[in-house]
Amino acid sequence: MGLFDIKNEIFEDKSVLRETYVPDELPGREEEMYDYRFALEDIKTGDEPNNILVYGETGVGKTVATRRILGALSDAVEDQDDVSFEHVWVNCKDKTSYQATVDTVNELLDFEDRIKGTGHSRSDVLNMLWREIDALDATHVMIVLDEVDSLGTDDSLLYQIPRAKANGHVDTMVGVIGISNNFTFRENISARASSTLKEDEIHFSTYDAPQLQEILSQRAELAFKDGVLDEGLIEYMAAIVAQDTGSARDAIEILRLAGRLARKHQDATVTEEHVREASEQLERVIVEKELYSLPTQYHVLLQSIALLQERGKLPARRKTVYNVYEQVCENIQITPKAQRTIHDKLSQLALKGFLSITEKNKGESGGKYWEYDLEINPETVNEVLDDVDRLSNVREETTLSQFS
Ligand SMILES: Nc1ncnc2c1ncn2[C@@H]1O[C@H](COP(=O)(O)OP(=O)(O)OP(=O)(O)O)[C@@H](O)[C@H]1O
Ligand SMILES: [Mg+2]
């Protein structure tokens, strides 16, 4: 038998479990799709488009619903003489407003004409954008800014697009769809002068267990061979995810990982045991990603706390944490931040679920102090921090005497 003569008894079509797969139906999103259709109806009738703000937690179908609704709208107006509709999709993740504008322009240009992300003034790039929008020769253009909260406070693009026609920059009717999973971002928008975006807000809620069951069944049907999922497995998975994040992404990923595990162990069916292992794998990957993406100062702080943990010194008081933090800063030659800043950062880490903070009373004197403890697996912290260049040698180099 050849090394790769593997019988695939589990998967029928694994590709439907990929993030890029767009299903025909979106179970559990009927209301959201209705609101979305209502918000976009004006394009179909040839009127000015609404600007739409879509928000909700991660993995609740914002992107996939937007892809589906825009596809459906394009189909719907295809035979109409009075309306021609185009959309441009830009992912803003990890971009500045300037870069996002450059990307939008590039989406509209032929590959060989694309511009570089440097060397043009902001207003030049905007002018190019207006020109290319008109060059589409459509009556209606919607610009989708996915993960728009990444732009932070520099989100002027969100306001400039809706005003482009009124300001005489374009002849085309142009609107914007901003997609965000950051609720603070939404609050900030309403606090600002513009009410244009408030008009059509579509909120995507997290999925409950029955909704997740439907989503999982739909995928499992296509992805797996008949009868390989143990009875009640979908219900079990849906319950786990509903209790945790309510994210369809997590649910589908657990389904995929559980299938892989069954294959790896050459088991005939996918079992609850596979699901449990898959969900632990996923949890680890998510925590690692989140840890890795934190800014340097947080990494240094976590490293300090991990060092305390290794030496059995947790829970520790803020003063102790700060002390070790200063040592680590010295080791890697960065300037330590002030105590108060570090206090804020510790609170942030607690909000993210990496640390716990417990308030303690000093007893007789009545004073209070706080104790910090690590809430995630110290091994995960070490693994991630070992990959952070600056910190890779810190653990070996920080000696015990520095803790006394
Ligand atoms: N109702 C649904 N039915 C079927 N699949 C769904 C549904 N909702 C989400 N999904 C799937 O779950 C995954 C995550 O969905 P999506 O990317 O749309 O989430 P999102 O809300 O945009 O998340 P983020 O804020 O992280 O970008 C995708 O693979 C998507 O196809
Ligand atoms: Mg998305």
Side-chain angles (χ1 to χ4, degrees), residues 43-230:
I43 296 181
K44 174 96 174 75
T45 52
D47 295 305
E48 285 277 344
N50 296 301
N51 301 294
I52 305 168
L53 182 67
V54 174
Y55 68 99
E57 303 270 340
T58 180
V60 296
K62 301 182 298 295
T63 296
V64 73
T66 305
R67 289 205 186 281
R68 278 212 37 78
I69 201 85
L70 292 177
L73 179 61
S74 294
D75 292 346
V77 300
E78 203 176 31
D79 299 329
Q80 256 171 266
D81 292 334
D82 58 332
V83 175
S84 56
F85 166 68
E86 298 278 349
H87 76 266
V88 187
W89 191 288
V90 180
N91 194 313
C92 303
K93 186 146 183 83
D94 299 328
K95 289 181 190 146
T96 61
S97 185
Y98 175 79
Q99 281 170 317
T101 317
V102 168
D103 281 10
T104 317
V105 172
N106 280 336
E107 280 295 317
L108 292 163
L109 289 171
D110 288 335
F111 190 76
E112 58 275 15
D113 297 331
R114 292 194 165 180
I115 58 168
K116 290 215 186 71
T118 51
H120 304 275
S121 73
R122 194 177 271 260
S123 62
D124 279 352
V125 181
L126 271 177
N127 285 328
M128 283 186 238
L129 177 62
W130 309 140
R131 200 175 60 220
E132 293 309 320
I133 286 175
D134 274 341
L136 277 171
D137 214 17
T139 56
H140 294 73
V141 173
M142 290 302 275
I143 313 254
V144 183
L145 301 177
D146 199 359
E147 312 203 30
V148 66
D149 42 288
S150 280
L151 301 180
T153 48
D154 180 21
D155 53 3
S156 46
L157 199 53
L158 257 182
Y159 306 98
Q160 279 154 335
I161 293 168
R163 293 187 194 134
K165 189 158 191 278
N167 288 343
H169 299 309
V170 289
D171 297 324
T172 315
M173 290 193 251
V174 45
V176 67
I177 298 177
I179 306 178
S180 156
N181 62 27
N182 181 323
F183 294 89
T184 327
F185 178 81
R186 175 182 162 259
E187 294 299 308
N188 289 344
I189 283 190
S190 27
R192 273 177 243 149
S194 168
S195 60
T196 19
L197 277 161
K198 280 289 290 174
E199 216 164 89
D200 280 280
E201 264 189 16
I202 306 171
H203 174 237
F204 281 57
S205 52
T206 49
Y207 291 111
D208 61 18
Q211 290 171 329
L212 289 169
Q213 274 182 38
E214 277 190 73
I215 294 169
L216 285 168
S217 305
Q218 174 202 55
R219 296 294 172 107
E221 178 111 4
L222 300 166
F224 290 91
K225 292 203 187 294
D226 283 346
V228 300
L229 296 191
D230 271 3

Side-chain angles (χ1 to χ4, degrees), residues 10 257-267 274 277 281:
I10 298 286
L257 290 170
R260 276 195 87 196
L261 285 167
R263 247 188 92 170
K264 190 170 173 190
H265 301 313
Q266 302 189 354
D267 294 330
H274 295 138
E277 203 180 325
Q281 269 184 12

Side-chain angles (χ1 to χ4, degrees), residues 46 328 340 374 396:
V328 175
R340 191 188 326 170
L374 199 58
E396 285 76 37

